[in-house]
């Protein structure tokens, strides 16, 4: 396979006009278990020459006012991971040879991430639950009577034992739930001439396994407060919105974010992933150097966005005529 530099994964600082030629490299330490209390990191297996130039933890982010609204960018010591593969620390090296040697050692050293005790994983409400309702018009060219695209997707008012209770916070919520109830009743009591088919399906958890693993290369130009960003994302505008929110209360002087989008592929795995925010954070702690954070294939399987397992009961009514 040959070709030009196309993916974000292909880019280095030396390729980019106006960027410094030097390139730093970062890696994430991730929790390989989720049934104990995270107790910090231990880099004692690295000899002095391989120690990272910078270690970034949740304490650094908290001190500098860098946060997202619906989760933790890095896990705080003294807490239990919310999921397998949760990032606990970011390590940065200013040259590739030391980075590569240290990463090889750390990947085979589970003791680098320390835990206390054992027990059960966290029991918590889902991060999100959505309900989509659509009632089509009289013909294929007419507007929908109701749809998530035209009106809104329904969201729960709260969760009770991890199950959603659907909100009726406005007229659109009420209309959507009323349409859903009418559809359910029509399937329970089909009209004469209708055949109702019902099946149950199951899927295991699925790994999207994109050709290009998650990655980013970012440079914080402190002289004018510019954060230069290259990340592999299918949703550049969404990433910029999340970045602006993440840095809104930051003590760092970030006046503008310049994002250079590249081609990418991910089957949705790079559409709403928190990973794309992490290279931007790395740039703030890289001593003014461009820094690259990129999953290898092992890390992508460990921590890439998954499609969760599901069981579904599916019903469809068919007009026999």
């Amino acid at each position: 396979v040959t070709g030009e530099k196309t993916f974000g994964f292909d880019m280095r600082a030396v390729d980019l006009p106006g960027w410094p030629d030097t390139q730093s490299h970062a890696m994430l330490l991730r929790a390989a278990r989720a049934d104990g209390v995270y107790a910090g990191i231990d880099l004692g297996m690295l000899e002095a020459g391989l120690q990272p130039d910078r270690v970034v933890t949740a304490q650094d982010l908290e001190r500098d006012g860098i946060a997202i609204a619906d989760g933790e960018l890095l896990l705080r010591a003294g807490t239990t991971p919310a999921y397998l593969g949760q990032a606990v620390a970011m390590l940065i090296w200013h040259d590739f040879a030391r980075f590569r040697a240290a990463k090889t050692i750390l990947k085979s050293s589970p003791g680098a991430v320390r835990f206390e005790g054992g027990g059960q994983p966290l029991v918590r409400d889902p991060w999100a639950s959505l309900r989509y309702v659509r009632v089509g018009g009289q013909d294929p060219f007419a507007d929908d009577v109701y749809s998530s695209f035209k009106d809104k997707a329904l969201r729960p008012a709260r969760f009770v034992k991890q199950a959603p209770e659907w909100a009726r916070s406005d007229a659109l919520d009420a209309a959507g739930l009323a349409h859903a109830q009418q559809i359910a009743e029509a399937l329970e009591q089909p009209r004469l001439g209708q055949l109702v088919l019902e099946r149950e399906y199951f899927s295991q958890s699925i790994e999207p396994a994109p050709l290009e693993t998650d990655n980013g290369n970012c440079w914080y130009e402190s002289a004018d407060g510019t954060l230069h960003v290259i990340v592999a994302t299918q949703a550049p505008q969404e990433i910029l919105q999340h970045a602006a929110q993440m840095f809104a209360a930051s003590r760092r002087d970030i006046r503008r974010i310049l994002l250079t989008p590249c081609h990418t592929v991910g089957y949705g795995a790079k559409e709403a992933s928190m990973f794309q925010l992490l290279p931007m954070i790395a740039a703030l702690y890289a001593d003014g150097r461009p820094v690259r954070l990129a999953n290898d294939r092992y890390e992508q399987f460990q921590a890439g966005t998954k499609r969760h397992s599901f069981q579904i009961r599916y019903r469809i009514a068919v007009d026999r005529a």
Side-chain angles (χ1 to χ4, degrees):
V1 178
T2 61
E4 300 297 330
K5 292 177 182 286
T6 299
F7 292 139
F9 198 88
D10 301 324
M11 300 298 176
R12 303 294 185 275
V14 71
D15 299 317
L16 303 167
W19 285 41
D21 289 342
T22 55
Q23 178 74 72
S24 295
H25 299 269
M27 72 170 289
L28 294 167
L29 286 180
R30 295 184 177 275
R33 51 182 285 196
D35 60 350
V37 175
Y38 166 56
I41 63 174
D42 179 4
L43 303 181
M45 68 287 299
L46 298 178
E47 60 187 64
L50 296 182
Q51 290 289 328
D53 295 296
R54 185 64 193 263
V55 176
V56 183
T57 67
Q59 185 176 2
D60 295 304
L61 303 188
E62 184 175 355
R63 180 198 64 218
D64 293 336
I66 300 170
I68 55 175
D70 53 354
E72 290 182 301
L73 292 159
L74 296 174
L75 183 65
R76 290 177 290 111
T79 59
T80 300
Y83 51 89
L84 290 171
Q86 186 166 5
V88 302
M90 183 184 297
L91 314 180
I92 301 172
W93 290 262
H94 291 330
D95 66 275
F96 180 79
R98 293 169 55 246
F99 157 75
R100 183 68 263 177
K103 183 172 182 177
T104 299
I105 295 170
L106 290 169
K107 282 177 58 177
S108 60
S109 302
V113 180
R114 298 190 297 110
F115 283 90
E116 293 176 350
Q120 296 298 316
L122 290 178
V123 176
R124 50 154 293 154
D125 289 337
W127 271 286
S129 186
L130 299 173
R131 189 171 181 179
Y132 297 92
V133 179
R134 182 185 176 215
V135 179
Q138 293 299 312
D139 60 69
F141 303 99
D143 286 342
D144 290 340
V145 175
Y146 185 95
S147 71
S148 57
F149 184 78
K150 181 174 74 73
D151 299 293
K152 68 185 298 189
L154 305 181
R155 298 176 181 269
R158 60 174 183 160
F159 293 93
V160 178
K161 296 181 178 179
Q162 290 82 55
E165 285 191 354
W166 300 102
R168 295 179 182 272
S169 56
D170 58 31
L172 289 177
D173 283 330
L177 291 171
H179 285 301
Q181 182 63 29
Q182 291 169 7
I183 294 170
E185 291 173 355
L187 291 168
E188 291 289 348
Q189 299 178 334
R191 300 191 309 271
L192 185 65
Q194 277 189 330
L195 172 65
V196 175
L197 302 173
E198 181 174 323
R199 299 288 187 273
E200 291 196 6
Y201 298 96
F202 166 78
S203 170
Q204 74 275 33
S205 178
I206 293 174
E207 176 68 58
L211 174 66
E212 182 192 21
T213 58
D214 284 325
N215 69 88
N217 199 348
C218 300
W219 171 43
Y220 175 52
E221 194 175 7
S222 58
D224 64 357
T226 299
L227 180 61
H228 302 265
V229 175
I230 292 178
V231 290
T233 176
Q234 293 168 259
Q237 290 176 308
E238 182 180 271
I239 288 297
L240 285 173
Q241 291 169 355
H242 285 309
Q245 294 165 3
M246 178 175 69
F247 294 131
S250 171
R251 293 172 54 193
R252 298 299 187 106
D253 179 25
I254 301 173
R255 300 173 212 171
R256 61 176 182 166
I257 301 172
L258 297 181
L259 184 144
T260 302
C262 297
H263 293 285
T264 192
V265 61
Y267 328 114
K270 295 193 181 75
E271 184 176 356
S273 168
M274 188 170 66
F275 181 97
Q276 282 78 21
L277 300 174
L278 297 174
M280 303 185 204
I281 293 172
L284 300 182
Y285 297 94
D287 302 325
R289 300 164 177 256
V291 59
R292 180 174 184 263
L293 175 66
N295 279 348
D296 59 24
R297 185 56 62 185
Y298 172 87
E299 292 167 318
Q300 189 66 29
F301 281 124
Q302 182 189 32
T305 301
K306 309 291 190 288
R307 177 171 294 152
H308 59 69
S309 175
F310 68 82
Q311 290 178 282
I312 182 172
R313 184 164 63 102
Y314 192 89
R315 289 192 296 175
I316 182 171
V318 181
D319 188 335
R320 290 180 179 273

